[in-house]
Amino acid sequence: MKYYILFGPPGAGKGTQATAIVEKYNLRHISTGELLRKEIAAGSELGLRAKSLIDAGALVPDEVVEGMIESEFNTVKGVAGFLLDGFPRTTAQAEALDKILAKTGETVTSVVSIMIPDEMIKERIRHRATIEGRADDAKEETIDNRIKTYHEKTEPLVEYYRAQGKYREIDGTGTIDQVRTNVFTLMDSLNG
Ligand code: ADP
């Protein structure tokens, strides 16, 4: 099984690109953000606890998302692999992922990072707010906190995976089509 990580700051376009990637490479898309929003919509206890953290631009506890990921790995069959979107987001989550995969003798295949500058993060999220109506896209303060959380907690993962020779970065500032072409070229070279 292939285990790809789609990396990048909030608003980089991970979700948009993920849809095309999973189709082309027969992967299952796992977005922890989406899974959490489903819990919120369902009004589950987990969703209720997650909502206030998400709306504040903070992260939900590592154990919560780690459990979600492991259960997806264990239940989804018939795919060539997984495309993780929004996970891991902390060094502890990356270490937990390594441990989960080690149970079946597997490892992370590659990290595909879509990079955009901070100013563009805000522009993209403001634009998405008018389309998707996500609560965590609505407030400037929440967006600022997410950018801060990204730099503090998530960006260190670049070094974590670079040290393993698994980190690949592409420019996310182009159009959706341009970025998709670059992602496909990169992934073809990884598979070739
Ligand atoms: P974005 O595209 O803005 O990065 P996501 O849909 O990936 O948004 O995530 C939305 C929110 O869900 C995050 O700001 C965070 O609060 C929570 N979340 C998602 N994935 C994780 C994770 N791996 N660990 C902790 N919190 C997470």
Side-chain angles (χ1 to χ4, degrees):
M1 293 285 260
K2 304 276 191 191
Y3 293 90
Y4 295 104
I5 295 169
L6 194 55
F7 189 84
K14 300 187 292 293
T16 305
Q17 299 299 335
T19 311
I21 299 169
V22 294
E23 197 179 312
K24 182 163 158 72
Y25 299 98
N26 184 29
L27 306 170
R28 167 72 167 225
H29 178 206
I30 308 180
S31 159
T32 41
E34 256 173 46
L35 291 172
L36 289 166
R37 283 189 288 281
K38 275 190 196 150
E39 294 286 340
I40 294 171
S44 70
E45 198 185 311
L46 191 160
L48 286 176
R49 274 189 289 135
K51 187 174 171 21
S52 53
L53 291 165
I54 293 175
D55 288 351
L59 296 177
V60 305
D62 290 332
E63 315 77 67
V64 171
V65 283
E66 288 159 12
M68 289 177 151
I69 290 283
E70 189 161 19
S71 104
E72 292 280 313
F73 286 167
N74 291 335
T75 51
V76 177
K77 308 281 177 232
V79 289
F82 294 87
L83 182 68
L84 305 182
D85 164 6
F87 180 91
R89 242 178 167 100
T90 62
T91 304
Q93 289 177 20
E95 289 167 353
L97 174 62
D98 287 343
K99 284 203 188 110
I100 293 168
L101 294 179
K103 289 183 195 173
T104 50
E106 306 200 76
T107 58
V108 169
T109 308
S110 291
V111 178
V112 176
S113 172
I114 303 179
M115 269 307 152
I116 57 169
D118 282 5
E119 314 81 70
M120 195 173 267
I121 298 178
K122 290 198 165 195
E123 253 172 58
R124 295 260 184 100
I125 291 180
R126 277 194 211 109
H127 174 68
R128 183 169 69 190
T130 65
I131 301 169
E132 295 183 10
R134 270 170 55 172
D136 63 340
D137 284 347
K139 280 207 315 218
E140 201 68 22
E141 195 191 336
T142 305
I143 299 170
D144 286 339
N145 276 334
R146 282 156 68 197
I147 295 174
K148 190 160 166 268
T149 303
Y150 168 76
H151 287 303
E152 283 178 10
K153 307 234 166 101
T154 308
E155 215 166 33
L157 292 179
V158 172
E159 273 320 307
Y160 184 88
Y161 289 112
R162 202 175 255 150
Q164 299 178 21
K166 291 181 176 173
Y167 184 81
R168 303 283 184 283
E169 191 172 293
I170 60 159
D171 176 5
T173 62
T175 64
I176 291 175
D177 285 2
Q178 282 165 347
V179 175
R180 187 180 53 234
T181 301
N182 292 337
V183 172
F184 283 175
T185 305
L186 169 62
M187 289 191 63
D188 286 340
S189 78
L190 295 171
N191 286 313

